[in-house]
Amino acid sequence: MGSQIEITETRFSGVFTDSNRLFTKNMVPRSRVYGEKLYSQGDEEYREWIPRRSKLAAYIKLGGSYFPFSSDTRVLYLGAASGTTASHLSDIVTSGIVHCVEISPRSFRDLVALCGKRGNMVPILADAAKPEDYRPMVENIETVYQDVAQKNQVSILVKNMSTFGAESGMIAIKARSEDVTKAPERVFSEAESSLKKQGFKVVDVIPLEPFEKDHAMIAVKRK
Ligand SMILES: C[S@@+](CC[C@H](N)C(=O)[O-])C[C@H]1O[C@@H](n2cnc3c(N)ncnc32)[C@H](O)[C@@H]1O
């Protein structure tokens, strides 16, 4: 067990704070995912959720207001890498599921090991731009979370939300992956307009500086 700490739940279900740092309740006690610190309060163990390592934590720290995750949410996570952020979502959606799509075989190896320890995480080696390839493995998705750092980020999100009938989505847009020559603010506003044109309600847009340069989190709901 880590050192004792006094923390309370934030307005977001399953996200805790000591009024400075963020934490989630560790589903696999005494186990770290990316070198984060562990703390305990009473019999419960918590993992620090570090905004410089996770864009979803950065979004919360920067005042993000939309959080479509609770204990039973079924999530499709695109661009899971080795599972840093996905592991915190796994701590949050304790009776839900996190389907983790990753294209890089190197990251996927670590992801498979992590999913082996966490009963609500499922690894999928696939290209997020081709949801038809993993459609047979994934069902009843409520929220799509995307962080793929490649081109055509909006169209990948829209395609996945449509394929799986998801009601909400969050996308960590990396401006430089879309167009290195465009100002990031312009990339973010074009992404927002494109999502609106395709029938989504944009509920939040938060640039992620100082935690992540040239990134913004955009949250959408189906209208
Ligand atoms: C910035 S990293 C993700 C970090 C991770 N979301 C986190 O917070 O822990 C982006 C990941 O997206 C993956 N990726 C890029 N294009 C992809 C695609 N088309 N389908 C699936 N994964 C993709 C990359 O291999 C990389 O692991």
Side-chain angles (χ1 to χ4, degrees), residues 55 77 79-81 84-85 101-104 107 126-129 147-150:
K55 293 166 198 117
Y77 192 122
T84 299
T85 299
V101 177
E102 174 53 49
I103 201 169
S104 150
S107 300
D127 181 350
D147 179 16
V148 294
Q150 68 150 76

Side-chain angles (χ1 to χ4, degrees), residues 6-160:
E6 215 170 286
I7 60 177
T8 52
E9 196 162 17
T10 65
R11 64 195 168 123
F12 299 139
S13 161
V15 182
F16 298 82
T17 186
D18 61 357
S19 78
N20 177 27
R21 294 168 297 178
L22 297 174
F23 306 87
T24 59
K25 202 179 275 184
N26 196 357
M27 174 180 272
V28 190
R30 288 176 293 283
S31 173
R32 291 180 173 82
V33 176
Y34 57 104
E36 73 280 20
K37 288 192 175 136
L38 305 179
Y39 295 91
S40 45
Q41 177 166 255
D43 293 337
E44 302 287 1
E45 187 177 85
Y46 295 83
R47 303 162 55 218
E48 188 177 354
W49 192 4
I50 304 172
R52 288 200 184 276
R53 301 292 304 277
S54 168
K55 293 166 198 117
L56 187 52
Y59 168 78
I60 296 171
K61 271 300 271 183
L62 292 166
S65 61
Y66 190 62
F67 197 71
F69 310 101
S70 57
S71 60
D72 58 358
T73 308
R74 297 181 60 89
V75 182
L76 176 62
Y77 192 122
L78 308 175
S82 50
T84 299
T85 299
S87 68
H88 286 288
L89 281 175
S90 150
D91 284 346
I92 292 165
V93 305
T94 46
S95 57
I97 196 155
V98 189
H99 286 283
C100 300
V101 177
E102 174 53 49
I103 201 169
S104 150
R106 174 68 196 87
S107 300
F108 190 73
R109 274 207 298 274
D110 297 340
L111 186 62
V112 169
L114 178 66
C115 294
K117 295 188 198 166
R118 292 176 165 258
N120 65 353
M121 280 179 79
V122 180
I124 301 173
L125 180 62
D127 181 350
K130 296 179 184 163
E132 58 281 6
D133 289 354
Y134 45 91
R135 192 181 188 157
M137 288 167 255
V138 175
E139 58 183 20
N140 299 331
I141 291 302
E142 294 162 297
T143 297
V144 176
Y145 180 88
Q146 179 181 311
D147 179 16
V148 294
Q150 68 150 76
K151 225 175 152 48
N152 302 324
Q153 295 164 88
V154 165
S155 77
I156 292 175
L157 180 76
V158 170
K159 209 167 168 190
N160 277 272

Side-chain angles (χ1 to χ4, degrees), residues 154 173 186-198 200 202 204-205 218 220:
V154 165
I173 296 253
R186 189 158 154 223
V187 174
F188 305 149
S189 73
E190 285 176 2
E192 192 179 344
S193 319
S194 168
L195 285 160
K196 284 180 183 158
K197 264 193 219 136
Q198 294 181 75
F200 293 92
V202 173
D204 212 359
V205 181
I218 302 184
V220 297

